[in-house]
Amino acid sequence: MLQHPDSALVVRPATLFDLPAIDLIQRLCYQPVFHEPVETFAARLRLSPGSSWVAEAGGQVLGYFFTHPWTGEAPPPLGKTLEHLPQHQDTHFLHDLAVHPHARGRGVAPRLIEAALHWGKQRGLKFTRLVAVAGAAPFWRKWGFKPVAAAPAYGDDAALMALSAENQAITTRP
Ligand SMILES: CC(C)(COP(=O)(O)OP(=O)(O)OC[C@H]1O[C@@H](n2cnc3c(N)ncnc32)[C@H](O)[C@@H]1OP(=O)(O)O)[C@@H](O)C(=O)NCCC(=O)NCCS
């Protein structure tokens, strides 16, 4: 059973200790075709410590958001372990946001997104990009992201979406 709804929500950087909870949430949230090996999450934490977060309440992880610096429009390959990050980095790539099905609609996603957008802004990355999968594009539109291309490697209905730094400045919480 998930924690009492009144428990305070805390957003903090993800660590390797969170990976079992993260793996469980991804399995509850995505079709098997999108399940990534835990090692791919671990590699992202190693390559870019501090740019991925979990939200927890009462010591229970309710959601996670993995992001990392990247370059250009082409997204990183799905399900593959990243060996290194590009040298020239102009993009904050938002890799994976997921909230436990029993914890949705309680402000978990907005808190994770705000932490991530703040990090990207502090880092001075010019673009914020993501691939909306499984019909999530309308969710991201509310945060100011606009579709810029198809992303067939992530699925037939996947869309590459972008938010420029200028737009981010005026993006308000939906
Ligand atoms: C997307 C997700 C993180 C949102 O979490 P949440 O806690 O429901 O987020 P919020 O409460 O901030 O937002 C909920 C709003 O977004 C809408 N929404 C959520 N997922 C959506 C989707 N896939 N498509 C369209 N709208 C969506 C809800 O209907 C709700 O709308 P409302 O505010 O008008 O009622 C969560 O639904 C999830 O984990 N989904 C599965 C994983 C996923 O698809 N991640 C994104 C992949 S790019």
Side-chain angles (χ1 to χ4, degrees):
M1 189 166 122
L2 286 182
Q3 90 309 321
H4 190 277
D6 290 341
S7 301
L9 190 65
V10 174
V11 170
R12 60 164 175 78
T15 74
L16 294 176
F17 295 109
D18 297 314
L19 291 180
I22 287 165
D23 190 36
L24 174 68
I25 292 172
Q26 75 151 340
R27 286 170 193 284
L28 292 171
C29 288
Y30 293 108
Q31 300 288 330
V33 68
F34 291 116
H35 296 171
E36 296 194 283
V38 169
E39 173 52 25
T40 65
F41 289 98
R44 289 187 175 90
L45 291 181
R46 275 196 300 273
L47 288 172
S48 183
S51 67
S52 296
W53 297 265
V54 292
E56 66 178 5
Q60 195 163 15
V61 174
L62 303 180
Y64 66 83
F65 200 7
F66 272 67
T67 85
H68 58 80
W70 195 241
T71 191
E73 282 205 355
L78 182 66
K80 296 259 162 44
T81 301
L82 279 183
E83 303 292 341
H84 52 79
L85 293 177
Q87 241 179 352
H88 168 73
Q89 302 174 349
D90 64 1
T91 296
H92 184 196
F93 188 76
L94 309 186
H95 176 70
D96 184 11
L97 168 71
V99 173
H100 191 294
H102 293 165
R104 293 192 186 153
R106 284 165 38 189
V108 176
R111 287 282 304 276
L112 287 165
I113 293 169
E114 281 162 7
L117 294 183
H118 179 73
W119 183 89
K121 200 170 176 181
Q122 297 287 106
R123 190 69 179 252
L125 294 165
K126 194 167 174 202
F127 301 102
T128 309
R129 293 183 165 115
L130 60 85
V131 178
V133 298
F139 173 81
W140 290 111
R141 276 182 190 274
K142 289 187 193 172
W143 286 89
F145 285 82
K146 295 196 169 36
V148 289
Y154 280 65
D156 288 344
D157 64 348
L160 179 72
M161 302 185 80
L163 176 71
S164 70
E166 297 77 46
N167 281 348
Q168 186 176 315
I170 55 167
T171 294
T172 52
R173 186 172 163 157

